[in-house]
Each structure stands twice: as C-alpha cells, then as structure tokens.
C-alpha cells in the first residue's frame, strides 16, 4: 500500500497564500515524478479555499487529493447554520475529510459519538473519513494510552468502517504543534495495538491505513514512516511549506533506497 502524506493546513492561509501553496505543491510533484508515483499526497485547506483550489487541481495531471478539515454530522440539507455537508464537499472535489482532530475533540468539546455521526455522513457521501485519535500528556504519563485510544476507536468508528472508506490518524495530543514527537518505538507499539484492535471489527483491517501525526518534519519523517504499521503521516505545521511537505514524502523513498 502506498503511504499517504496528508497536509492539514488548519486555519492558515489567505486566498493568495492558499493558491500559491497549492501551485508550489503542484510544481514540486511535476518536477519529481518518482515521488508523485510512489507516495499519495492529500491537502486539507480551510473550507473557504476549496472551490478555487479544486479548480486549480482540475487543470493538473499530477496532483494531491483534496480534503476538508471537518463536515456536518447531518447527511441531508437543512437548518444547520454554519455547517457544511459531506456531499457539498464532494461536490467541490473533496475525496477525504479529517474528523475528530484533537483541536476539535479537546478545543471544541467534540465527542466520539459526534465524530461517528460525521464519519457516517462522510462515508455515505463517498468520502474517506480520516478519524483522529490520541491520548493527552496526562493519559500517556498514567500509561493509559492504549485504553484511551481503543475507547475512542470503539465510539468513533461507524459499523461500515473499512479500508476503503476510513483512515485512522494516531495523533498524541502532546505532540501536536509542540515540536515533541513520540519515539519510533512508542509509535510502533500503539500502531500495532490499533491494527490488532481493528482486526475482526472493520472490513479489510490489514489494509486500513493508520497515519501518525504530531510534529512530523522532514528530519524525523524517515524514522517515523518506516515503523511497522505506519502507513503515512498527518502533517500540520510542516504542510504549510511545499518543500517541507514534499520532503516528508521523499523520506519514504529514501527509506526504501536505504
Ligand atoms: C496536526 O495538526 O494534525 C498535526 C500533526 O500538527 P503538527 O504537525 O504541527 O504537530
């Protein structure tokens, strides 16, 4: 399975900057065909930039997939002020949506039950739901990471979850945007736990991608992405510079060549 390198732009970039970043990624992929063939890239700009970026991507042959950072739990249109449905996202070229990011779980009080409803709506609209899970620093210090992550998976994944419509992103909360990264051994251990947990509970558990996220940068990506059961990365800060974002993908190739 190809590794997936997903860039979560969060609430960054104005219109011009978003277009420039997209153009830089397109140029970088065009200039490095072995990279573009070997690694799957996806970008998750702020929702308001999706229509123009979708238009830019339409004209490109080699391009990243497009995704959103959230969607409504409501599948049908209706009186839901401020919300955007999964089918609206699909209409603007999105194929993926990030759900349950810790900045929503912990920053906005989003529950696993809401995340499951969103994942269900996303999957019904044909989107791949990237469901984020991860423990806080206090939970890690108490040795509760496996229990916390398993409980989040149990409550957040809809019954239809499988390799074709779901990706899991393991993102320890204490590693997001902090410069702290989990050790490769810790990442391998929890990804193995997640793989085991998936077995018997979802469709095609062996090929369901499990991403690592948390201060992944070009200099630590090689080690993290080569750990067993790490099928790619969810990248925040380093996805805002095309060169760094693509360099994280290049770490996959370097690791193969080593
Ligand atoms: C994220 O927001 O999903 C993330 C992993 O951020 P960063 O790479 O900046 O830690």
């Amino acid at each position: 399975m190809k590794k997936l390198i997903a860039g979560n732009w969060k609430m960054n970039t104005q219109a011009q900057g978003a277009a420039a970043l997209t153009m830089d990624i397109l140029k970088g992929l065009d200039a490095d065909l072995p990279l573009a063939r070997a690694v799957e890239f996806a970008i998750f700009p702020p929702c308001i930039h999706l229509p123009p970026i979708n238009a830019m991507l339409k004209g490109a042959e080699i391009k990243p997939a497009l995704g959103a950072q959230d969607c409504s739990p409501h599948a049908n249109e209706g009186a839901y002020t401020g919300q955007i449905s999964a089918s609206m996202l699909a209409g603007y070229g999105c194929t993926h949506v990030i759900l349950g990011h810790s900045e929503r779980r912990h920053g906005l009080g989003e529950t696993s039950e809401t995340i499951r409803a969103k994942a269900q709506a996303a999957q019904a609209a044909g989107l791949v739901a990237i469901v984020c899970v991860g423990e806080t620093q206090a939970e890690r210090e108490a040795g509760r990471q496996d229990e916390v992550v398993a409980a989040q998976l149990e409550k957040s994944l809809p019954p239809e979850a499988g390799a074709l419509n779901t990706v899991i992103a393991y993102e320890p909360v204490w590693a997001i945007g902090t410069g702290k990264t989990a050790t490769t051994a810790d990442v391998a251990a929890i990804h193995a736990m997640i793989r085991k947990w998936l077995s018997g509970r979802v469709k095609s558990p062996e090929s369901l991608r499990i991403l690592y996220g948390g201060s992944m940068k070009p200099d630590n990506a090689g080690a993290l992405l080569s750990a067993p059961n790490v099928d790619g990365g969810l990248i925040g800060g380093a996805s805002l510079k095309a060169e760094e974002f693509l360099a994280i993908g290049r770490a996959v190739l370097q690791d193969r060549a080593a």
Side-chain angles (χ1 to χ4, degrees):
M1 136 181 43
K2 280 189 194 176
K3 303 244 191 226
L4 172 64
I5 303 297
N8 174 12
W9 297 5
K10 309 193 185 190
M11 199 176 76
N12 291 297
T13 67
Q14 299 292 331
Q16 244 186 332
L21 178 52
T22 306
M23 189 47 78
D24 287 347
I25 292 169
L26 288 173
K27 280 188 192 155
L29 288 175
D30 238 10
D32 191 344
L33 292 185
L35 175 68
R37 283 197 199 103
V39 178
E40 219 172 293
F41 289 92
I43 56 173
F44 297 79
C47 235
I48 196 161
H49 301 324
L50 289 172
I53 291 179
N54 180 39
M56 287 174 77
L57 297 184
K58 268 189 185 154
E61 209 178 306
I62 299 157
K63 54 191 165 192
L66 186 61
Q69 300 172 17
D70 187 39
C71 74
S72 172
H74 303 287
N76 297 322
E77 294 178 10
Y80 307 112
T81 302
Q83 299 194 37
I84 296 176
S85 75
S87 64
M88 291 171 187
L89 296 174
Y92 277 105
C94 288
T95 50
H96 293 67
V97 59
I98 297 171
L99 298 174
H101 191 280
S102 74
E103 286 151 18
R104 299 193 63 87
R105 279 186 191 268
H106 297 284
L108 297 173
E110 195 164 284
T111 65
S112 288
E113 289 75 8
T114 301
I115 294 157
R116 174 162 48 196
K118 291 182 174 189
Q120 232 153 356
Q123 291 165 352
L127 301 184
V128 174
I130 302 187
V131 177
C132 302
V133 293
E135 80 286 356
T136 61
Q137 174 101 46
E139 289 161 345
R140 165 68 62 167
E141 280 164 8
R144 295 185 50 230
Q145 63 274 8
D146 285 12
E147 168 203 335
V148 168
V149 167
Q152 288 173 337
L153 289 170
E154 179 80 46
K155 292 189 196 146
S156 309
L157 292 187
E160 305 80 15
L164 294 179
N165 61 13
T166 309
V167 169
I168 306 294
Y170 167 64
E171 300 205 302
V173 179
W174 48 271
I176 296 178
T178 59
K180 292 184 203 164
T181 341
T183 65
T184 308
D186 284 344
V187 172
I190 201 145
H191 279 233
M193 184 285 288
I194 294 171
R195 180 77 66 207
K196 196 165 164 210
W197 187 93
L198 292 171
S199 165
R201 288 184 170 92
V202 302
K203 297 177 194 100
S204 313
E206 285 310 314
S207 46
L208 193 153
R209 281 186 172 128
I210 308 171
L211 312 183
Y212 169 77
S215 298
M216 193 184 276
K217 310 275 179 223
D219 61 352
N220 61 19
L224 290 163
L225 291 168
S226 61
N229 292 303
V230 176
D231 306 310
L234 182 53
I235 326 295
S239 71
L240 294 171
K241 289 195 181 129
E243 207 28 68
E244 283 192 28
F245 183 53
L246 297 176
I248 290 176
R250 251 174 234 120
V252 174
L253 301 187
Q254 278 150 15
D255 181 61
R256 275 183 206 156

